[in-house]
Amino acid sequence: MKKFIIHIFIISSLLSCKNKPPFLTKIEGKQLPITEGIKSKQEIEDFIKPFKESVDKEMNTVLSYTPHNLVRTDGELESSLGNLMADLCYLKGNAIFNSRTGKNIDFAMFNYGGIRAGITQGNITTQNAFNLMPFENSLVVLELSSKKIEELVYYLITENKAHPLSKQFNLVITKDGYNLKINNKPFDKNKTYFVLTSDYLQTGGDNMNFFKNSISSYNLDYKIRNTIIDYFKENDTIKVTLDGRFMKEK
């Protein structure tokens, strides 16, 4: 019995001494600042040179011309760049939507924060289009109820910003409320409206929750950046005006 106990003890000791698999106990990081002191490798530069030259050539391609600076800050509730972006997206997007459905988009709306850069007077290049819209967002058409349109109007009034709106939408803030016309007709609470926007805003981005849970939706499979580039290619001179599509009653 004594020998049996000794054998059990020895076996237990051997098992307890068995090497356990290693496991991570700590992670340490070290910051390596990128400075001018870091020397480049010539073989790497030679390798990427043709790709860089090709990209630079494409980005510097002249698409159009603007006689004035296009920015999002030159109006109180509308802007030259916002009007341009909404109108060109409506024009290009409606052609696709109509060809597929036989219907027309009522108006286009995007977000103020979606305009990422202005365009200075002079030649407009592909780089300008990428700076204006660096995201991979696409155009979508949403069918909204009149209640959703009212929520949209309340959002615009509350935000008090120059969100891009196409010229089919005309909103005037009055002392007693607001007056809204869509396609030169008074807002009709008994109908639905087709609104063009981005797939980002469709999900409630920028707190535009009225775009969520639409009656129907249509993805045009057309990136906004490509829409902008195509429009610039088709128009050698860009003309934009502030026409009072969203304003306060004087």
Side-chain angles (χ1 to χ4, degrees):
M1 183 67 179
K2 183 177 182 181
K3 290 182 178 181
F4 176 76
I5 294 175
I6 292 174
H7 287 159
I8 293 298
F9 177 77
I10 293 173
I11 293 172
S12 299
S13 298
L14 290 173
L15 291 174
S16 65
C17 292
K18 186 178 180 180
N19 291 333
K20 296 181 179 180
F23 60 92
L24 186 65
T25 58
K26 182 170 65 173
I27 297 177
E28 291 184 349
K30 183 179 180 181
Q31 186 176 13
L32 299 175
I34 299 176
T35 65
E36 295 181 356
I38 298 177
K39 296 181 179 180
S40 61
K41 290 186 177 293
Q42 189 61 43
E43 58 268 28
I44 296 178
E45 290 192 353
D46 292 341
F47 177 77
I48 66 174
K49 182 179 179 181
F51 301 100
K52 181 178 184 301
E53 290 177 346
S54 177
V55 171
D56 288 344
K57 182 179 179 180
E58 179 67 24
M59 289 296 102
N60 292 324
T61 299
V62 176
L63 305 175
S64 186
Y65 174 83
T66 173
H68 307 288
N69 291 335
L70 301 173
V71 296
R72 66 175 186 175
T73 56
D74 53 354
E76 183 181 4
L77 296 176
E78 63 174 332
S79 70
S80 58
L81 195 51
N83 287 1
L84 172 64
M85 181 176 172
D87 285 347
L88 72 84
C89 284
Y90 176 91
L91 180 66
K92 303 293 291 182
N94 189 57
I96 297 173
F97 183 67
N98 180 265
S99 68
R100 294 180 184 176
T101 67
K103 302 174 183 178
N104 289 312
I105 298 170
D106 289 296
F107 66 92
M109 176 180 175
F110 301 94
N111 59 321
Y112 179 83
I115 300 177
R116 308 304 289 188
I119 301 176
T120 56
Q121 176 186 0
N123 289 334
I124 299 175
T125 65
T126 304
Q127 184 67 57
N128 290 128
F130 272 79
N131 291 340
L132 174 60
M133 176 50 63
F135 312 114
E136 298 300 313
N137 298 131
S138 297
L139 292 175
V140 296
V141 180
L142 306 177
E143 184 180 6
L144 301 184
S145 65
S146 59
K147 182 179 180 181
K148 291 280 190 178
I149 297 297
E150 290 177 326
E151 292 176 12
L152 182 154
V153 170
Y154 179 77
Y155 175 90
L156 287 172
I157 295 174
T158 303
E159 282 278 302
N160 197 43
K161 290 181 180 178
H163 292 290
L165 293 160
S166 67
K167 60 185 178 182
Q168 294 76 23
F169 186 93
N170 184 264
L171 176 63
V172 179
I173 302 174
T174 66
K175 296 178 181 179
D176 300 323
Y178 66 86
N179 289 324
L180 173 61
K181 288 185 178 181
I182 300 176
N183 292 309
N184 293 319
K185 297 179 181 179
F187 170 55
D188 187 348
K189 294 185 178 182
N190 296 312
K191 66 170 290 185
T192 61
Y193 291 88
F194 291 103
V195 184
L196 179 71
T197 190
S198 73
D199 53 358
Y200 165 69
L201 299 178
Q202 177 186 14
T203 59
D206 212 0
N207 295 318
M208 293 190 179
N209 294 315
F210 45 83
F211 281 139
K212 297 167 66 175
N213 303 315
S214 59
I215 296 172
S216 61
S217 63
Y218 306 81
N219 192 323
L220 301 185
D221 299 314
Y222 198 6
K223 292 187 183 300
I224 296 176
R225 184 195 306 122
N226 293 344
T227 309
I228 295 170
I229 291 174
D230 290 343
Y231 180 83
F232 286 160
K233 286 181 178 179
E234 296 166 358
N235 296 271
D236 59 4
T237 303
I238 303 302
K239 300 177 181 179
V240 187
T241 60
L242 300 180
D243 51 22
R245 61 189 66 181
F246 182 23
M247 60 182 293
K248 294 178 181 178
E249 188 178 57
K250 297 180 180 179

